[in-house]
Amino acid sequence: MTADYQTAAVAMAGIPLAFAILYSIFGGIEFGLPLAALTHDKAGAARGRRYFSPIWESTNVFLVGVVAAVMTIFGAGLPILSSLLQPLWLLAAGALAVRGALIVGVFYGGWTNWTARVLLAVVSLAIPAVLIQNSTIMLTGDGDLLNHLGMVVALGTLAISLAVALWAGYFYTPGKTTRDLARLGFWLAIMLSWFTLPLAIALDGSVLSDGRNVLSVMWPVYGLSLLAVLTLASEWRRRYWVASAVLTAGVAITLFVAQMPYLVRPTVLLTDMVTNGFSQIWIATAFGLAVVVVVPVLFVLHRLVATDSRH
Amino acid sequence: MDTLTQTAFGRALIGDSLMFHLLFITFGVGMPLLIGLLEYMAIKTGDAKWRHTARSWSKVFILLFITGAISGTMIAVQLGVVWPQFMAIAGPVMGFAFFSEGLAFYVEAAFLGLYMLTWDRLKGWAHLGLLIPVGVAAAASAFLITSVNAWMNAPQGFRMENGLPVDIEPLVAMFNPALFTTFTHSMVGYYLTAAAAAAGYYAWCWLRRPAARTKHHSQVMGLMLGVMLVMGVLMGVTGDASAKYIAKYEPAKLAAAEALFTTTAGAPLTIGGWLVDGVWHGTIAIPNLLSWLATGNMNATIQGLDQIPRSDWPPLQIHYFFDGMVAIGMALVGLIVLYWLLYWKRRTATTSRPVLWALVAAGPLAMIAMQLGWLVTEIGRQPYTIAGILRTQDAITASPSVVRAAVVFPVLYIVMLVVTLWVLVRMHQGKERVS
């Protein structure tokens, strides 16, 4: 096995990572959005519905991207991944379906009762908390989450705090309740990232079985959260969502770095599972083309939303 | 739990998921064309009513797109975790198509967002132009995922060694013999069904709401019937090509669909009947017609189930599905022809209540035909997941949580369907809140 081949496999793993980062950011905003309905911030809820509804739930495309990328790039590893992740993924998929029905009812069908709104908020925040547990399993190679409750709780809380921070930042309104939630959510996310993530990663001895120090994989979260703090301190100080997005990316990258070069630690190597050369080139090229097309569109969408928000 | 039971639950799960997804992706693929035509009419006539109608349908499209996105996510997850052995083979061979399908959906979603956010900002071709990538990406998405399904029916571009695919030629795998007929036939079906549903909606309004009996509604209904006419013709052409493909490459599926047990020269077309203990009763046979439809030669020999090992027979019940699909297709073609005959004779077809009621039924019937068609394709390939390569019972995961999922997910789908229909009804009543 050559070093080049291993590098290529890790590089290809960057594609599901990219989708995971995008899903974390856009999904985080969506997962936190039902809080607007809970806090009676009608302006926030209305803005969320009006300006995010065109791409509402198409955020799932990024989740499909993660799944499709793993299935196609590391398809040979699916029997192993399936046996480990199946209950978690089916639980998440079921929660997504419940949430989908609630979204349609609350945001499109005018369900105003408290029960529906609370249920929507709870399910919405539970989904990232469940999905991030993939990292617990893939970092430990143990499908039984009960054996790693420390990681489960730490990562779940982190995912929820990031969702709160992202939502509150994106729909930040000066002088409104969201401002306080934004601050609370953002600083909670920073604290959890800095202090509990290394602890969570180190909780199982097999996590860094190659002898690396836990802190050696933490540079993305420290580096990017520092950038996030600087962002807040700059003239963009009101753009909490940019800072939260940067922090979210840092967490995702950290979990990725901690896992390399394994698909499932500590035994299943990426290089043993990566697909053939043709598929690698095709997938990388298609991904690059899609980025070229879609990123400008997403940017324009964001500007349109921002312009509308000011009016 | 034994493998057969596990497989049955797994098949039920993915079958339910695909049928539920099909309800929505039919409109996801078909509606951009219809909305585009409506907006084009607005540009051409300068009449604001066309634009208003296009915008109203775009709101419906968004709602269906949302539910379709969720159901698509369910399927992506299930393919990976419920059918890992299938993906272990399909991933290296057709993974690039799977992945590209996701990207096409990604492009569709992004441009759809742009299209919806610019209704008040852009006019004319500038706005309509944003719908073109949506429609193209939807079609590309359908092409890519259909290529995977076609490959499952006619696998090529690799060989198996020690249970894994080797000597992989992905493009050969993609452009397999089933691709053209499966893709064209299903695409035409999506457009036809979406147009039939829209026409049925206007027919319903015409019958039930006097205020809706306007010239504009009549024109929109006519436009939808125009789409149905074009697609009806194409449906016949692609259906014929599909029959010839199946006869050549999937003889077991054809034999089961046509209840043909014995290899026969000048084979009859078998219609109707009921199955008792593996024997069909009460069927009607039209001599030589199957041979002619399948090959163009009335005396050609068509392979029967007697040439296929009993363990490789597809479920015989697909004859019901096949007959149902063909019967509905023929009825739809008859309705389209009747509508345009009436229009040609009276310059309007809205005076005929039976035709309007038939149009109301056409939407659901077209959807049922779509579902039956896919049932024939999927169940007709059994007992294989990848024809001749991977048996379904060998493709499924060993995890017992499949059983729970097979019970829970259909309930979730029903809830989602009810909620979506309820919101659609509210939109119809003018209570919708979609911006």
Side-chain angles (χ1 to χ4, degrees):
Chain A
M1 188 181 304
T2 66
D4 283 349
Y5 199 64
Q6 182 163 314
T7 306
V10 172
M12 289 304 290
I15 293 177
L17 170 68
F19 277 114
I21 291 172
L22 286 167
Y23 183 67
S24 303
I25 293 171
F26 287 92
I29 295 169
E30 279 196 33
F31 293 133
L33 188 57
L35 292 173
L38 275 186
T39 56
H40 296 283
D41 183 352
K42 289 183 181 173
R47 221 173 31 227
R49 184 180 65 242
R50 182 175 174 196
Y51 299 121
F52 217 68
S53 64
I55 47 172
W56 188 248
E57 278 303 333
S58 62
T59 307
N60 277 330
V61 173
F62 300 122
L63 178 60
V64 172
V66 176
V67 176
V70 171
M71 281 195 318
T72 55
I73 300 171
F74 303 105
L78 268 183
I80 299 165
L81 283 178
S82 169
S83 62
L84 287 170
L85 301 177
Q86 193 198 59
L88 200 61
W89 274 90
L90 289 177
L91 180 64
L96 281 167
V98 171
R99 179 173 168 270
L102 286 167
I103 281 174
V104 171
V106 171
F107 285 99
Y108 297 86
W111 287 354
T112 52
N113 66 77
W114 182 247
T115 310
R117 287 185 294 153
V118 169
L119 194 57
L120 175 59
V122 170
V123 175
S124 294
L125 291 177
I127 290 169
V130 168
L131 283 176
I132 202 170
Q133 303 307 335
N134 283 295
S135 293
T136 303
I137 294 174
M138 292 169 79
L139 282 169
T140 62
D142 185 351
D144 190 349
L145 290 173
L146 293 176
N147 294 336
H148 306 279
L149 277 177
M151 283 187 79
V152 169
V153 172
L155 291 178
T157 314
L158 179 65
I160 291 171
S161 68
L162 284 170
V164 171
L166 276 164
W167 154 69
Y170 192 78
F171 295 104
Y172 172 80
T173 309
K176 298 285 184 184
T177 315
T178 46
R179 181 188 57 188
D180 300 326
L181 273 173
R183 284 186 178 146
L184 178 66
F186 182 77
W187 290 113
L188 184 62
I190 288 269
M191 286 172 61
L192 283 167
S193 306
W194 281 38
F195 299 112
T196 69
L197 201 55
L199 184 64
I201 292 174
L203 274 174
D204 190 285
S206 65
V207 168
L208 295 176
S209 53
D210 54 2
R212 279 187 295 170
N213 186 295
V214 172
L215 291 178
S216 71
V217 299
M218 288 300 297
W219 58 266
V221 80
Y222 291 138
L224 287 172
S225 56
L226 187 61
L227 186 62
V229 172
L230 291 174
T231 302
L232 280 178
S234 72
E235 71 274 16
W236 283 10
R237 59 189 177 281
R238 286 183 175 178
R239 297 195 175 182
Y240 281 101
W241 90 272
V242 176
S244 306
V246 169
L247 181 63
T248 304
V251 170
I253 294 168
T254 296
L255 292 171
F256 176 82
V257 170
Q259 196 173 315
M260 291 301 105
Y262 297 93
L263 182 62
V264 179
R265 274 184 173 270
T267 52
V268 187
L269 280 163
L270 287 169
T271 41
D272 294 340
M273 300 298 155
V274 74
T275 189
N276 54 70
F278 173 89
S279 294
Q280 286 186 39
I281 292 168
W282 178 291
I283 288 168
T285 307
F287 179 73
L289 286 173
V291 167
V292 168
V293 173
V294 173
V295 167
V297 175
L298 289 178
F299 178 74
V300 173
L301 270 176
H302 168 65
R303 296 307 304 165
L304 288 172
V305 171
T307 305
D308 278 356
S309 299
R310 284 198 291 272
H311 295 89
Chain B
M1 184 184 306
D2 65 272
T3 308
L4 284 177
T5 310
Q6 177 92 348
T7 306
F9 277 103
R11 281 180 61 195
L13 175 60
I14 197 72
D16 291 338
S17 301
L18 287 169
M19 289 178 76
F20 181 70
H21 188 51
L22 188 60
L23 288 176
F24 300 97
I25 57 117
T26 297
F27 296 102
V29 176
M31 284 190 76
L33 173 68
L34 306 184
I35 296 168
L37 285 172
L38 290 167
E39 203 172 354
Y40 168 74
M41 290 302 292
I43 296 169
K44 189 182 168 192
T45 63
D47 186 342
K49 287 196 286 292
W50 286 102
R51 186 173 164 83
H52 177 76
T53 305
R55 190 169 184 169
S56 297
W57 279 108
S58 71
K59 293 172 186 175
V60 174
F61 180 40
I62 277 289
L63 186 65
L64 298 174
F65 185 85
I66 289 166
T67 316
I70 298 168
S71 59
T73 308
M74 307 290 113
I75 290 174
V77 169
Q78 288 172 18
L79 279 176
V81 298
V82 179
W83 304 98
Q85 303 300 340
F86 162 68
M87 284 308 303
I89 298 173
V93 182
M94 290 299 291
F96 72 104
F98 261 121
F99 184 78
S100 306
E101 191 266 345
L103 293 179
F105 182 45
Y106 181 33
V107 172
E108 181 186 359
F111 276 95
L112 181 58
L114 210 52
Y115 180 74
M116 292 303 291
L117 273 177
T118 51
W119 272 109
D120 295 324
R121 290 180 170 85
L122 298 173
K123 306 285 181 197
W125 284 103
H127 188 253
L128 178 55
L130 291 175
L131 189 61
I132 293 171
V134 177
V136 171
S141 182
F143 173 82
L144 289 159
I145 202 65
T146 305
S147 74
V148 179
N149 183 268
W151 171 80
M152 292 161 68
N153 290 327
Q156 64 177 33
F158 69 106
R159 65 181 179 83
M160 294 297 286
E161 192 174 285
N162 299 324
L164 289 172
V166 294
D167 296 339
I168 296 167
E169 296 179 86
L171 291 178
V172 174
M174 173 184 254
F175 293 98
N176 58 74
L179 176 61
F180 176 75
T181 53
T182 312
F183 174 65
T184 53
H185 198 52
S186 58
M187 283 298 285
V188 169
Y190 300 141
Y191 291 128
L192 178 61
T193 304
Y201 170 75
Y202 284 104
W204 170 264
C205 291
W206 195 278
L207 286 162
R208 307 296 291 182
R209 287 166 52 173
R213 290 171 192 165
T214 64
K215 184 183 175 187
H216 176 66
H217 274 197
S218 171
Q219 289 172 328
V220 176
M221 203 192 313
L223 182 66
M224 298 303 148
L225 263 298
V227 174
M228 288 173 71
L229 178 65
V230 173
M231 295 305 155
V233 172
L234 292 175
M235 183 60 79
V237 174
T238 57
D240 178 63
S242 292
K244 289 180 169 55
Y245 154 77
I246 293 175
K248 186 172 181 182
Y249 293 98
E250 299 185 65
K253 186 182 285 182
L254 181 69
E258 282 300 332
L260 187 69
F261 287 88
T262 311
T263 302
T264 310
L269 186 75
T270 305
I271 300 171
W274 58 92
L275 186 65
V276 180
D277 296 332
V279 179
W280 285 99
H281 299 273
T283 56
I284 300 167
I286 303 175
N288 299 85
L289 190 55
L290 179 59
S291 288
W292 183 69
L293 288 172
T295 66
N297 177 358
M298 294 186 77
N299 296 313
T301 299
I302 303 296
Q303 185 177 325
L305 287 169
D306 58 349
Q307 299 291 309
I308 295 154
R310 184 67 185 85
S311 60
D312 284 358
W313 284 16
L316 299 176
Q317 288 82 353
I318 67 167
H319 176 64
Y320 291 127
F321 306 145
F322 185 75
D323 271 12
M325 177 189 70
V326 174
I328 292 173
M330 301 292 280
L332 284 176
V333 169
L335 176 62
I336 296 165
V337 170
L338 182 62
Y339 178 94
W340 286 110
L341 277 176
L342 279 174
Y343 185 85
W344 174 65
K345 198 173 174 183
R346 304 180 192 170
R347 305 307 299 167
T348 178
T350 51
T351 52
S352 171
R353 289 180 67 84
V355 168
L356 290 174
W357 278 114
L359 277 176
V360 172
L365 283 174
M367 179 56 77
I368 290 170
M370 282 287 299
Q371 299 277 2
L372 291 173
W374 279 109
L375 284 173
V376 171
T377 301
E378 298 306 297
I379 298 178
R381 190 183 54 246
Q382 299 304 318
Y384 289 96
T385 297
I386 303 172
I389 303 289
L390 179 69
R391 283 183 178 271
T392 305
Q393 67 189 56
D394 298 328
I396 197 161
T397 179
S399 170
S401 55
V402 171
V403 178
R404 286 191 292 274
V407 174
V408 171
F409 274 86
V411 176
L412 295 176
Y413 295 150
I414 290 169
V415 171
M416 285 176 71
L417 183 61
V418 168
V419 172
T420 305
L421 290 175
W422 177 72
V423 174
L424 284 174
V425 169
R426 283 176 63 89
M427 292 172 84
H428 165 74
Q429 293 170 338
K431 297 176 185 172
E432 51 85 11
R433 298 177 66 184
V434 180
S435 301

